[in-house]
Amino acid sequence: MHKTRGAIRERMKSGIDVVIELLDARVPASSANPLLAQLTLGRPALKLLNKQDLADPARTEAWLAHYRAQPNTRAIAIHQGLPGLAKTLANECRATAPNRGTLDKPLRVLVCGIPNVGKSTLINTLVGKRAANTGDEPGITKIEQKILLDKGVYLFDTPGMLWPKIRVPQAGINLAASGAIGRNAFEEEVVALDLLAYLRRHYPQALKQRYQLDATDERSEGELLEAIGKRRGAMLPGGRINTQKAAEILLYDLRQTQLGRITLETPDEFAAWTAEADAAEAAKEAAREAQRVLAKRGTRDAVAANDPSKDEQDDEDWEEDGDDIDDVDDVNDSNESAESDDGADNGMDGKNAGVVEEDAARPKGTGKKG
């Protein structure tokens, strides 16, 4: 990841006019790498919603409108085999950076995307030959490539790059479901259960048509997964259901469009998930800050929070100091008896004695620090 990030940063320094970010139309926001936005900040952007033939058409239109509303950004939906794709992309890039694209001022375009989003297949389609290796597993592209897209338009392909921490939990689930994350990085059953919960809310007809499941019944997602396993023959000895196999079947059917054209997020949904993630992160940071403050204070409360026995020791110290307080009272009584019988004077002496008592009653070394 660090090597790829460095390569993108160096390429940006050498001169890039347009940044194409390839997104998965089924999970557009989840497949957008936030690090790319940081590395390419300020450059005109062209969002390509790839695999539109696998995604929900209505939701694809909603995502296109969402991206087109952003400043300095264009967006189109594509799929492999789309007629005239190379020409379409060249024209979109020229429209994004209208002052470039001639022989004396070539248009330099950087193509970015997370692993397994279809970038290598796109490159091969554009150049009409096998210029990049492809495969179902993420991370096939290993080196940067320079490709002539059209007259005066050059593409710079970069290896796919994931980010170190997926901040929005649902984004991680969606990436795993779509196949963008290698299968060794997640548990299929966990992802399948979350996927079932989403499908029964938004695409119940897909479950009905594929597995003859009624998504409106009261069965849990775990029971629905078992029903899928039973119907598809994912059985173990003794009549037990192989839920791991059932999860793999569900994920495979999603990726191969056996459930129909499905998109796992909308702009509003992802905004809500992001807000929830931000709130959770803020709460965690507040708790961490409270712990740091508590550790630095070094007061009796801070010590007591970690060592309750300290309270008992403090109580014993106060009891011992109580003897000193009694001695002070005796001295004050003697002083009062030696003073004049005048009421006003006695009143003033009483006030002074009170100050002495308070000062003497405060145990040494136990006062609150500033």
Side-chain angles (χ1 to χ4, degrees):
M1 183 193 71
H2 295 292
K3 184 177 180 180
T4 302
R5 187 189 305 181
I8 293 175
R9 187 179 289 111
E10 290 302 315
R11 176 53 57 190
M12 296 302 299
K13 291 180 181 178
S14 67
I16 289 295
D17 305 302
V18 176
V19 175
I20 291 179
E21 183 175 12
L22 200 61
L23 306 173
D24 189 327
R26 300 167 298 173
V27 288
S30 294
S31 59
N33 190 334
L35 293 180
L36 292 179
Q38 298 174 13
L39 293 172
T40 62
L41 185 62
R43 298 297 197 282
L46 174 59
K47 307 287 187 180
L48 297 186
L49 272 63
N50 193 28
K51 304 180 183 180
Q52 68 157 343
D53 53 329
L54 309 181
D56 183 329
R59 291 191 169 193
T60 296
E61 288 301 319
W63 277 108
L64 289 174
H66 169 76
Y67 286 121
R68 288 167 180 167
Q70 298 177 0
N72 215 19
T73 301
R74 299 176 69 89
I76 61 173
I78 65 170
H79 62 269
Q80 309 308 325
L82 190 67
L85 181 56
K87 198 68 175 179
T88 298
L89 288 185
N91 291 338
E92 287 289 338
C93 290
R94 290 190 179 101
T96 306
N99 296 325
R100 308 286 301 192
T102 61
L103 292 178
D104 58 330
K105 289 184 178 180
L107 182 59
R108 299 155 298 182
V109 181
L110 183 69
V111 182
C112 302
I114 66 171
N116 212 34
V117 76
K119 187 160 54 62
S120 296
T121 302
L122 172 65
I123 295 297
N124 293 335
T125 301
L126 295 177
V127 300
K129 62 181 181 179
R130 192 176 180 82
N133 294 326
T134 62
D136 291 333
E137 290 298 319
I140 297 297
T141 303
K142 301 298 183 183
I143 60 174
E144 182 188 76
Q145 303 177 81
K146 180 180 178 180
I147 300 162
L148 178 64
L149 177 62
D150 199 8
K151 290 182 180 180
V153 182
Y154 288 93
L155 290 182
F156 293 90
D157 182 24
T158 59
M161 179 180 67
L162 278 174
W163 50 108
K165 179 183 179 182
I166 297 177
R167 194 168 54 86
V168 180
Q170 191 61 41
I173 293 292
N174 289 351
L175 287 172
S178 69
I181 299 177
R183 62 182 304 173
N184 293 330
F186 66 93
E187 296 183 20
E188 282 93 345
E189 288 189 53
V190 174
V191 175
L193 291 174
D194 198 284
L195 175 61
L196 274 174
Y198 192 86
L199 292 177
R200 73 189 305 182
R201 290 196 305 271
H202 299 283
Y203 296 97
Q205 74 281 2
L207 297 176
K208 180 69 173 179
Q209 294 173 3
R210 183 63 176 171
Y211 309 116
Q212 289 72 55
L213 294 178
D214 184 1
T216 62
D217 64 24
E218 297 181 354
R219 285 185 291 182
S220 66
E221 280 74 33
E223 291 171 326
L224 290 178
L225 186 62
E226 290 181 350
I228 292 174
K230 185 176 182 180
R231 178 167 293 277
R232 297 296 298 276
M235 305 299 294
L236 294 170
R240 293 176 295 120
I241 298 174
N242 188 338
T243 53
Q244 170 64 28
K245 185 64 176 178
E248 294 173 0
I249 290 171
L250 176 64
L251 295 176
Y252 178 84
D253 286 349
L254 172 73
R255 296 165 187 170
Q256 299 300 316
T257 332
Q258 299 299 318
L259 299 175
R261 299 174 66 175
I262 290 175
T263 299
L264 296 177
E265 58 197 36
T266 67
D268 290 341
E269 282 178 333
F270 200 86
W273 297 337
T274 301
E276 292 175 2
D278 289 343
E281 184 62 29
K284 289 180 181 179
E285 180 57 32
R288 288 192 291 264
E289 180 62 23
Q291 289 295 326
R292 286 192 290 266
V293 171
L294 192 62
K296 291 179 179 179
R297 282 175 58 189
T299 62
R300 175 189 173 191
D301 292 340
V303 174
N306 296 287
D307 185 8
S309 63
K310 184 63 179 177
D311 281 343
E312 299 178 1
Q313 181 62 43
D314 289 340
D315 292 340
E316 293 177 1
D317 292 342
W318 279 94
E319 290 175 0
E320 292 176 359
D321 291 336
D323 296 338
D324 296 334
I325 295 174
D326 292 339
D327 294 340
V328 172
D329 289 339
D330 293 341
V331 172
N332 289 335
D333 291 341
S334 299
N335 289 338
E336 290 178 1
S337 62
E339 294 293 338
S340 170
D341 292 334
D342 184 76
D345 291 342
N346 287 338
M348 180 61 69
D349 288 342
K351 293 180 181 179
N352 292 335
V355 173
V356 173
E357 287 178 359
E358 290 176 2
D359 291 341
R362 184 177 296 116
K364 296 180 180 180
T366 60
K368 292 184 177 179
K369 297 181 180 180

